[in-house]
Each structure stands twice: as structure tokens, then as C-alpha cells.
Amino acid sequence: MTEDLAAPRRMQPGELEFTAPKRRKPPRHLADLTTAERREVVQSLGLPAFRADQVSRHYFSRLSDDTDSWTDIAAAQREALAQALTPSMMTRVREVTCDRGATRKTLWRLHDGALVESVLMRYPDRVTMCVSSQVGCGMNCPFCATGQAGLTRNMSTGEIVEQVVAGARELAAGEVPGGPGRVSNVVFMGMGEPLANYDVVLRAVRRLTEKSPSGLGMSARGITVSTVGLVPRIRQLATEGIPVTLAVSLHAPDDELRDTLVPVNTRWKVAEVLDAAWEYASATHRRVSIEYALIKDINDQAWRADVLAKRLRGKLVHVNLIPLNPTPGSKWTASRPEDEREFVRRLEAGGIPVTVRDTRGREIDGACGQLAAAQ
Ligand code: SAH
């Protein structure tokens, strides 16, 4: 299979569609399909359509991939159904934990050998799963570990949903300290640019929010889609009628600096990205989150905080400052504490709600594609 050996390529700034070399597709999984499509698959096996709903319930409600426990289905049919609807999507290569087990980062090997990461973070009041949507990323942001390797391929809806279900299984089984629990939040802040894999990500959001047996039954409000700022896709997302939280990775309030930190800015400027974000906020009534990684002496000057505050004033917005998680070999590092404090102070003085992201998982390279890069 020479196709599988094809070298990854980088997306050009502004390029929306995935055109990486063709490779073997991930196995089809029920999470890729609507309820009606699952029934068709089951009927094509010569089995009654309602079996599709039963298998879907085992997957989404019972979180079970163990066919022995599918006792409402005749034993002779279970294997064929599992092969058709719940094939193995990925295997756990490593799991590293910190925060006494409350933060767990998993490295997954996909069917074609590709490696991706997901992170489970348990807080007193919620559990957040951070998931990957692409193998690698084509956006080439110089401070991000994933950006350095380029884009290998898009992930499938099944591969995205399975990361969440795997976390849900760990929680349900009581493997995460704090007792049995549920996944309440999903953030598309793992590897990849979710809006560059738009249709697949949207389907994943639908599976996460639809009620069982169709999906996991989560609230859209608990789901955050984070983007470098692919303006046409932000506009499209605003029309979908799914009020997920939109996070925009701004990292600089001015085009001159943002052109270098988020190269896609050469295609869609700060003003256009923010306009699309405000359009999103008014269509969904959801507060937009502006992500801003604080990088020492690069984007953390007090005057930039003032410019940022001015650009955001009066909008349905909140700023999430992220102390830079330095990637191996990078010359950049996190801001000095006093500069971070001043940045926060200036934003607050400008009337902008601001939080500083906790640095969970930092000691396990929790943030940004570093585990896969190290492998
Ligand atoms: N491609 C999407 C989502 C993935 S990254 C996006 O860019 O929004 C999730 C967030 O982590 C983004 O805001 C990204 O800019 C940020 N990030 C990437 N590398 C980082 C690093 N080394 N330190 C801190 N934040 C980082």
C-alpha cells in the first residue's frame, strides 16, 4: 500500500478542503451513521432493523463494546453486528496521568498506525474531554507542537466520538478518582483544526448531542469548537442550529503579529475573524471565547492588552489566557507572572471578562500534541 507511505503535506493558509493523499479509510462505525443508516446496514445483513438500535444503546448508553454483555441479542448475531457497527477504531498506546489521576492523557494508535491524543480532565463540578479531530494539523502555528508536523489526514466521526466514549467508559467504571462519573464537556482542542474537517466534526457534534440510541445525549452548551479562524466555516457553523461554544484562537489583536503566530491570518484578518465571531454570538446567543496564549515578550505587552480590550469591548465575549506551554526546541516561553497579571488587569479595566486557564496536564505535556510528537 504505497498510498499509506505518502508523506504528509501542509495545508496552504486559507485552504479549506482536505486534499491529502488518499489512504485506507477508517473502519465504518455506527457513530459515523444516522439511526436510519444504521438500520439499513443491519437490514443488508439480513437482520431486523431494530438490532441497530439495540447495538447503538449498548454503545452510547451502556458504553459497552463487549459483545458478551449484549444479552438482548441472539449470541449468533452479535459478531456480525459488532463487525458491521462497532469495529475497533483505535488502541491505547499509552496513558499518562497527573493531578492524582484527575488528568489523564491518552495516546491512541488508529487503524493505519497514525497517533492522536485525547485528554480527560476531572474538576469538582465537571469532566472535560479534550479530543483530536485531525491527525496532525495544516495550520502551521509556530508555537504549537501539532502544527510542526503538518497534516496527515482527517479523522472520521467514529474516531472522534470514540475518544469521548473511551473517557466515558473510564469514568463509568470508576477508574478516575472521585467515583463513577460522566463526561459533561467536550472541547475540540486536541490535535487538528476542527473547522478544516467541518462535515465530520459537525457529525460528531450531532452524535454527542443526540439522545440515545442515536447518540450520547450531551448538552451542546458543554461542547466547545476551537478554531484558528476559518471565517466561512464560522459563518456556516452559525447556521447549523447547534449552540456549541465557539473558541477563536486569536493570540494577537493586530494583524502584523497575528500573521506570524497564526499563519492563516494572512487569509482572514483579525477584523474579519472577529466579525464572524460576533455573527456567531448573535445567531446562537452563546458567549464567544477568545483564546490567547501568553508568550513572553511576543504578545504579552500591556499595550496589546489595551488594543485587545478595545477590539472586544461591548461584545458577548470572554478571554481565556493560556500560559504558553513551551514545545521542545522552541525559543518561546510563558510570560513573566507580573506581565501576565498586568495583561489581565488591563483587560479587566477595559471591561472584558477574563480567565487564566489552569495548566492542567502541563507536566504530562498535556496541552498540545506533545505526546504524539515525542513518540
Ligand atoms: N486548531 C484549533 C484547536 C486546537 S489547539 C485552534 O487552533 O483553535 C487548542 C488551543 O491550544 C488553541 O488556542 C491553540 O492555539 C492553543 N495552543 C497550541 N499550542 C499551544 C502551546 N504550546 N501553549 C499554549 N497554547 C497552545
Side-chain angles (χ1 to χ4, degrees):
M1 295 281 291
T2 46
E3 296 163 340
D4 282 333
L5 301 174
R9 63 183 280 282
R10 239 176 236 297
M11 262 182 139
Q12 299 307 307
E15 187 180 334
L16 276 181
E17 303 307 332
F18 171 70
T19 49
K22 272 211 170 349
R23 37 179 65 232
R24 232 170 347 123
K25 279 194 169 167
R28 179 196 59 204
H29 190 277
L30 63 83
D32 296 316
L33 308 173
T34 63
T35 305
E37 289 165 344
R38 293 173 212 166
R39 290 180 187 145
E40 278 167 31
V41 167
V42 167
Q43 279 174 318
S44 74
L45 297 174
L47 297 173
F50 70 88
R51 295 283 184 227
D53 294 5
Q54 290 177 307
V55 175
S56 300
R57 260 184 220 103
H58 287 302
Y59 184 71
F60 285 120
S61 304
R62 296 187 53 240
L63 309 170
S64 163
D65 52 1
D66 169 20
T67 52
D68 286 345
S69 76
W70 297 2
T71 52
D72 54 349
I73 302 173
Q77 296 178 5
R78 290 178 203 159
E79 265 330 296
L81 286 166
Q83 265 179 31
L85 292 176
T86 58
S88 162
M89 301 302 291
M90 49 218 228
T91 50
R92 200 177 249 119
V93 181
R94 272 175 76 193
E95 183 166 73
V96 281
T97 65
C98 62
D99 306 315
R100 298 171 191 216
T103 304
R104 318 167 77 84
K105 177 158 174 165
T106 305
L107 181 67
W108 299 101
R109 189 187 307 284
L110 306 181
H111 78 101
D112 55 354
L115 299 174
V116 296
E117 303 166 6
S118 63
V119 189
L120 182 155
M121 289 160 283
R122 184 169 212 167
Y123 302 89
D125 58 335
R126 65 186 195 280
V127 178
T128 300
M129 281 295 309
C130 175
V131 298
S132 296
S133 57
Q134 296 183 311
V135 179
C137 185
M139 296 298 131
N140 205 14
C141 303
F143 56 88
C144 172
T146 307
Q148 305 321 299
L151 175 67
T152 301
R153 70 166 170 87
N154 279 334
M155 292 175 71
S156 70
T157 298
E159 287 169 332
I160 294 171
V161 171
E162 177 68 8
Q163 296 168 67
V164 179
V165 169
R169 280 190 194 119
E170 281 188 89
L171 277 161
E175 286 164 23
V176 184
R182 301 169 64 89
V183 176
S184 54
N185 297 72
V186 170
V187 296
F188 285 85
M189 293 190 179
M191 299 170 74
E193 166 51 43
L195 296 190
N197 187 13
Y198 187 90
D199 293 343
V200 164
V201 165
L202 239 278
R203 229 176 289 138
V205 169
R206 291 191 201 285
R207 288 304 104 73
L208 297 178
T209 53
E210 285 162 357
K211 296 215 157 33
S212 178
S214 214
L216 267 181
M218 294 180 58
S219 159
R221 295 171 164 266
I223 297 173
T224 298
V225 174
S226 181
T227 179
V228 288
L230 304 186
V231 165
R233 295 310 199 197
I234 295 174
R235 296 228 161 88
Q236 192 177 350
L237 189 64
T239 68
E240 301 283 356
I242 310 181
V244 294
T245 300
L246 176 72
V248 174
S249 298
L250 201 66
H251 305 314
D254 54 302
D255 288 319
E256 197 185 348
L257 179 58
R258 194 167 191 266
D259 281 349
T260 67
L261 294 180
V262 185
V264 78
N265 196 69
T266 57
R267 175 73 175 78
W268 291 290
K269 298 294 177 192
V270 172
E272 289 175 89
V273 173
L274 291 179
D275 277 349
W278 310 147
E279 220 172 276
Y280 188 84
S282 58
T284 59
H285 308 292
R286 302 289 296 145
R287 191 165 80 155
V288 171
S289 178
I290 299 291
E291 308 292 300
Y292 199 107
L294 281 173
I295 313 174
K296 183 177 152 192
D297 297 332
I298 301 290
N299 66 352
D300 62 354
Q301 304 82 358
W303 69 265
R304 277 208 162 86
D306 293 340
V307 174
L308 181 62
K310 205 165 149 208
R311 297 199 88 147
L312 305 185
R313 193 162 299 152
K315 304 297 186 184
L316 193 56
V317 72
H318 122 271
V319 173
N320 192 21
L321 298 173
I322 318 166
L324 184 82
N325 197 2
T327 57
S330 163
K331 53 187 186 294
W332 289 334
T333 186
S335 300
R336 298 172 200 91
E338 60 271 27
D339 293 337
E340 179 184 302
R341 274 197 301 274
E342 182 61 11
F343 206 91
V344 171
R345 201 189 63 73
R346 299 258 182 155
L347 286 176
E348 284 175 343
I352 310 298
V354 50
T355 49
V356 180
R357 185 189 289 178
D358 75 5
T359 47
R360 274 241 184 161
R362 174 166 271 201
E363 58 270 51
I364 52 171
D365 296 338
C368 312
Q370 295 177 13
L371 199 59
Q375 192 76 12

